[in-house]
Amino acid sequence: MNLNLEKIFLLFFLAAALFMGMANIFSAEISHPYPYAYFASDPFIHYLTTESLKENGNFLYVSKWYTANQSNVEYCLPPQNYMMSAGFSFNSGLQGYDSIYFISIIAAVINSFVVYLMIRKVSKNAALIALPFMLIVFSKVFISSFTWGQWQATVAYMFFSAALWALTEIKRDYMFVLFAVFASASFLAHYPEFIFLAVFMLLYIAARFFFRELSMDEVRKLALAAVLIFVLIFWELLRFYGIWVKGTKNELGSSELSLPVTGIPVPSFMDFTVILVALIFVGAVFALMMIRKERQVILLYALFVLAMWWSNYLGITKRTVTLRYFAPVVLAVLIGIGIYYLLKNFLEWKPAYSISLSVVLVFGVVYFFMTPTGSPGWMIQERWDAMSWIRENTPETATVLYFYGDGYEQHNPLASTKRINYRLLADSMIEAAQKGEIRRNYTARDVTGMCSAMEPYRKSLLEYGFYAREKPNVNAHQNVDICSFQYYFIERASGRIPPLAQYNVAIGNELIAHGATPVFNNRLVTVLKNNNLGVNCVGNTT
Amino acid sequence: METRLKDDLIRLAVFFAACLVIFKLIFFREDIPVVFLVVGGFFYTFILPGFALMYYFNDSLDFLERLIIGIALGLALFGIVAYYTGLVGLSIRYQSLFLPGLFIILGSFLHYLKKAK
């Protein structure tokens, strides 16, 4: 096969992946004036974490604006994505919210190429045919992994695949170092993928040992890699133990066997379509026959992912969903093998056929699977402008009260003001509105915190305290006096509950009547400043 | 300059140019300077350092393998090293400038050491 033709095809695939994934989600722009295509709360956690890191310069403590004004709160998430994104943001000039999104999507593209390299060792033809099907990761419900912010997992799976690639080359001098670096990066990106990798490695080593294929040299190199991994992840391992294992021991070990998981779109096997499902199983049969002769890592990996598709029945429901999001990249290997070995039986196969077929398949996958996202997501220009005004024109310790807004129950975006934020709960407002009352007291919650149930701070090397649990007011529903807030964020329109938007306006008018002044105004949002803090700001209105 | 290194640098330059064209075509609404900064920033921060370090394996792995795995390596190492050096007080703002350069120098040094053997 002409090598240059392969490289040209790979560039074509890169263009197709960017078109179907990133350009589709980003509306053909790379930089945006506000967090674009953020469809859930989680992406905002990632963006705001990147912002906090960029401000502080390191991953020691979270910025005070993101911790209910505590100064020693540690990040509850692992660092890899944020370090890469902050660095890329500085070097590219992209805003943090674009930078971390870019890195997450590009990681999925790189993952496809790494898996391609692995299957290429088995059969270059099968690899070329498999590649177009990896684009399915950017389609249907699978694309939710990006738009809903499963970004840590995206990156961790890329490092997972890279570690497996290094495993296939482990006999080379110092390749164990690469294996250790990739495995460590996987842990530092998202812990569960490292655990999947460890399980896979144990099964792989056990199989090689069982068939007496494991040489002493390999054992020595894997042992050295294990030591290096331990060194590289040691500090994060302490954090993982203190925050997630010890800190959440009562919340782990869910025995939930059924899908869906609350609030997350769950990929189903039929999202691949009937034909591709059949090809996956045909490929699995060929793969099983092939690994009887040789334990090829990529084939075992593909069969492992196929088996883990149903790992929710082992009680790891949420992580199964994450694995399913990225499964198309690995299951495409089985599809490629299925198609290639089926066709090979009927045709005298020539390498040029593979590239021609792959080009057609790329167009086919884009045509049949592409799922336009077609929306800016949670954030819109008017909201962002108002939040930016608060961020740039108010004291760092300013308190902001959000009245009702569509989607505010996904409250992480509200922290974009980088101030101390509370939001009124819709139920409390509805109750008052139904009685025709404008009250001084409503139920609200603090929406400043990063990992809502945690706010971890270090007590000793292995022990963490959690502000969110120790102080009842942190992240809890509470009765608040609206006159004690310095700024009010009022949306004047709502697509979901229009009467509540009218009620927002009514409270706003009352506040203005009692001395508050509008300091920012656009088509959607009014920001009011309370000039008489603590004094009755709404009268006794019914 | 070694012929192989020269060939690889030419291939890398062609890849950079191809990425610029692809990004501009796919992100057709984006301004050219932004595309240049994004592709250039990604190359400097992750691709060049990873490729330089992978050059240690230049006699056993082909260009494609070194390039693709090099990108993953650049991403992995930047994250890991920046995390730990950040904990000892070095700001990510400065690390993003000098870490890639450091990795490129380290990759060249490893290549030199291997050749000297």
Side-chain angles (χ1 to χ4, degrees):
Chain A
M1 182 183 297
N2 187 334
L3 209 62
N4 287 335
L5 211 56
E6 182 197 19
K7 284 177 188 153
I8 291 166
F9 173 72
L10 292 180
L11 283 174
F12 171 65
F13 174 81
L14 172 67
L18 289 174
F19 173 72
M20 195 164 161
M22 203 183 289
N24 175 24
I25 294 170
F26 284 3
S27 294
E29 287 175 311
I30 307 174
S31 65
H32 302 90
Y34 56 89
Y36 192 85
Y38 278 47
F39 284 85
S41 208
D42 280 11
F44 284 94
I45 296 178
H46 302 313
Y47 147 55
L48 292 165
T49 302
T50 308
E51 280 297 298
S52 169
L53 167 63
K54 282 178 71 180
E55 278 177 15
N56 299 327
N58 60 47
F59 211 70
L60 269 173
Y61 299 116
V62 184
S63 293
K64 281 172 83 173
W65 52 260
Y66 207 16
T67 63
N69 225 17
Q70 307 292 343
S71 58
N72 61 342
V73 172
E74 288 193 18
Y75 293 88
C76 56
L77 302 170
Q80 184 78 27
N81 283 34
Y82 311 108
M83 303 311 302
M84 298 184 313
S85 305
F88 181 52
S89 172
F90 283 124
N91 284 353
S92 66
L94 283 180
Q95 293 293 329
Y97 51 76
D98 282 327
S99 166
I100 191 160
Y101 215 153
F102 182 98
I103 291 280
S104 308
I105 300 176
I106 213 80
V109 180
I110 297 166
N111 190 22
S112 302
F113 283 121
V114 174
V115 171
Y116 170 80
L117 286 182
M118 283 194 277
I119 183 175
R120 191 171 172 247
K121 289 178 203 285
V122 180
S123 160
K124 201 176 235 179
N125 292 308
L128 285 166
I129 297 169
L131 206 49
F133 296 104
M134 295 182 195
L135 293 172
I136 293 172
V137 79
F138 297 119
S139 72
K140 293 188 173 180
V141 70
F142 299 106
I143 204 170
S144 309
S145 62
F146 304 101
T147 54
W148 287 52
Q150 302 286 315
W151 299 345
Q152 294 172 297
T154 317
V155 171
Y157 270 111
M158 184 258 293
F159 290 132
F160 185 137
S161 300
L164 293 186
W165 175 89
L167 186 65
T168 64
E169 301 283 344
I170 200 85
K171 286 178 183 166
R172 296 190 195 286
D173 284 348
Y174 300 107
M175 191 56 83
F176 74 89
V177 176
L178 260 66
F179 174 77
V181 166
F182 289 135
S184 305
S186 168
F187 182 80
L188 293 172
H190 201 218
Y191 313 127
E193 281 65 40
F194 179 82
I195 295 167
F196 272 133
L197 177 65
V199 171
F200 176 81
M201 283 300 298
L202 285 175
L203 291 173
Y204 174 73
I205 291 169
R208 298 281 309 275
F209 182 76
F210 180 77
F211 290 104
R212 296 182 183 178
E213 295 167 350
L214 214 53
S215 68
M216 271 315 290
D217 183 53
E218 271 182 274
V219 173
R220 187 180 64 86
K221 283 173 174 168
L222 288 171
L224 283 172
V227 172
L228 190 53
I229 291 169
F230 183 74
V231 171
L232 289 176
I233 67 171
F234 178 72
W235 187 249
E236 192 58 24
L237 205 57
L238 294 182
R239 285 176 15 91
F240 170 65
Y241 177 76
I243 296 172
W244 289 99
V245 178
K246 225 172 152 190
T248 61
K249 62 184 170 189
N250 297 328
E251 295 162 29
L252 292 175
S254 160
S255 59
E256 186 185 2
L257 295 179
S258 61
L259 294 170
V261 176
T262 321
I264 307 173
V266 180
S268 122
F269 219 73
M270 293 319 287
D271 285 321
F272 286 98
T273 72
V274 179
I275 297 171
L276 293 188
V277 168
L279 283 169
I280 286 171
F281 284 102
V282 169
V285 172
F286 281 122
L288 280 170
M289 292 191 312
M290 289 157 83
I291 58 170
R292 280 180 63 194
K293 291 180 190 162
E294 196 181 355
R295 256 54 66 192
Q296 287 280 1
V297 172
I298 183 61
L299 300 181
L300 289 164
Y301 181 28
L303 292 170
F304 176 74
V305 168
L306 181 61
M308 291 301 281
W309 182 277
W310 293 280
S311 57
N312 53 302
Y313 292 105
L314 300 173
I316 45 177
T317 318
K318 196 175 172 190
R319 300 306 157 208
T320 300
V321 177
T322 318
L323 178 128
R324 286 185 182 188
Y325 281 135
F326 303 103
V329 173
V330 185
L331 295 184
V333 171
L334 298 177
I335 299 173
I337 287 174
I339 293 175
Y340 173 60
Y341 286 97
L342 272 179
L343 291 176
K344 209 177 142 193
N345 283 331
F346 301 106
L347 286 171
E348 194 182 327
W349 197 261
K350 292 179 184 168
Y353 294 175
S354 302
I355 292 211
S356 314
L357 179 60
S358 300
V359 171
V360 175
L361 285 172
V362 165
F363 282 113
V365 170
V366 171
Y367 182 78
F368 288 108
F369 281 87
M370 187 158 162
T371 314
T373 53
S375 158
W378 192 101
M379 191 61 79
I380 48 176
Q381 188 71 58
E382 288 79 5
R383 280 178 171 172
W384 182 251
D385 289 345
M387 287 177 182
S388 299
W389 186 91
I390 291 174
R391 198 166 55 237
E392 289 156 14
N393 296 284
T394 64
E396 285 182 11
T397 52
T399 51
V400 180
L401 182 65
Y402 284 88
F403 291 4
Y404 173 80
D406 291 343
Y408 278 15
E409 64 280 2
Q410 300 275 329
H411 62 244
N412 271 296
L414 307 184
S416 302
T417 57
K418 298 187 180 178
R419 296 295 178 263
I420 299 167
N421 303 295
Y422 284 70
R423 74 175 169 94
L424 292 185
L425 298 184
D427 287 348
S428 173
M429 294 179 73
I430 289 169
E431 188 208 337
Q434 282 173 341
K435 291 178 182 169
E437 296 174 354
I438 291 173
R439 299 173 179 167
R440 191 169 164 173
N441 292 81
Y442 292 86
T443 309
R445 70 161 290 182
D446 162 15
V447 292
T448 300
M450 177 188 186
C451 295
S452 54
M454 303 189 103
E455 307 292 328
Y457 68 95
R458 199 167 223 132
K459 284 181 167 175
S460 67
L461 193 63
L462 289 175
E463 196 180 352
Y464 278 83
F466 298 91
Y467 283 122
R469 295 172 194 169
E470 290 166 8
K471 297 185 179 178
N473 284 345
V474 179
N475 296 312
H477 292 187
Q478 55 195 289
N479 192 283
V480 297
D481 174 6
I482 65 170
C483 303
S484 65
F485 287 86
Q486 291 165 301
Y487 292 89
Y488 305 100
F489 193 99
I490 301 171
E491 293 201 10
R492 302 190 308 277
S494 160
R496 208 185 286 172
I497 317 177
L500 270 187
Q502 291 167 15
Y503 188 57
N504 282 350
V505 174
I507 304 177
N509 289 337
E510 197 60 26
L511 288 165
I512 291 168
H514 287 80
T517 46
V519 286
F520 178 88
N521 210 33
N522 65 22
R523 279 196 317 168
L524 178 69
V525 181
T526 297
V527 177
L528 298 181
K529 183 181 181 192
N530 182 0
N531 296 309
N532 302 305
L533 210 61
V535 176
N536 190 358
C537 56
V538 287
N540 294 315
T541 312
T542 54
Chain B
M1 193 185 282
E2 293 172 56
T3 318
R4 185 156 194 169
L5 181 61
K6 197 176 158 190
D7 287 349
D8 276 355
L9 289 177
I10 291 170
R11 285 188 191 124
L12 214 50
V14 170
F15 179 58
F16 178 69
C19 282
L20 282 178
V21 173
I22 289 171
F23 268 77
K24 182 57 200 154
L25 287 176
I26 299 295
F27 299 98
F28 56 88
R29 288 171 150 177
E30 196 54 86
D31 297 333
I32 288 174
V34 174
V35 171
F36 191 85
L37 272 175
V38 168
V39 175
F42 197 82
F43 258 73
Y44 174 69
T45 318
F46 306 116
I47 296 183
L48 290 179
F51 188 80
L53 288 164
M54 284 301 287
Y55 210 76
Y56 183 84
F57 300 101
N58 82 88
D59 49 358
S60 52
L61 299 174
D62 65 26
F63 174 81
L64 202 60
E65 284 177 301
R66 281 181 286 124
L67 177 66
I68 293 170
I69 300 301
I71 299 172
L73 183 64
L75 285 158
L77 271 181
F78 184 91
I80 295 171
V81 177
Y83 174 45
Y84 286 110
T85 47
L87 292 183
V88 294
L90 213 53
S91 170
I92 182 76
R93 178 183 290 274
Y94 304 112
Q95 292 187 57
S96 58
L97 275 179
F98 83 80
L99 267 188
L102 197 70
F103 291 145
I104 293 169
I105 293 168
L106 181 66
S108 312
F109 181 66
L110 288 176
H111 174 62
Y112 169 78
L113 273 186
K114 194 181 174 190
K115 231 178 103 183
K117 267 189 187 175

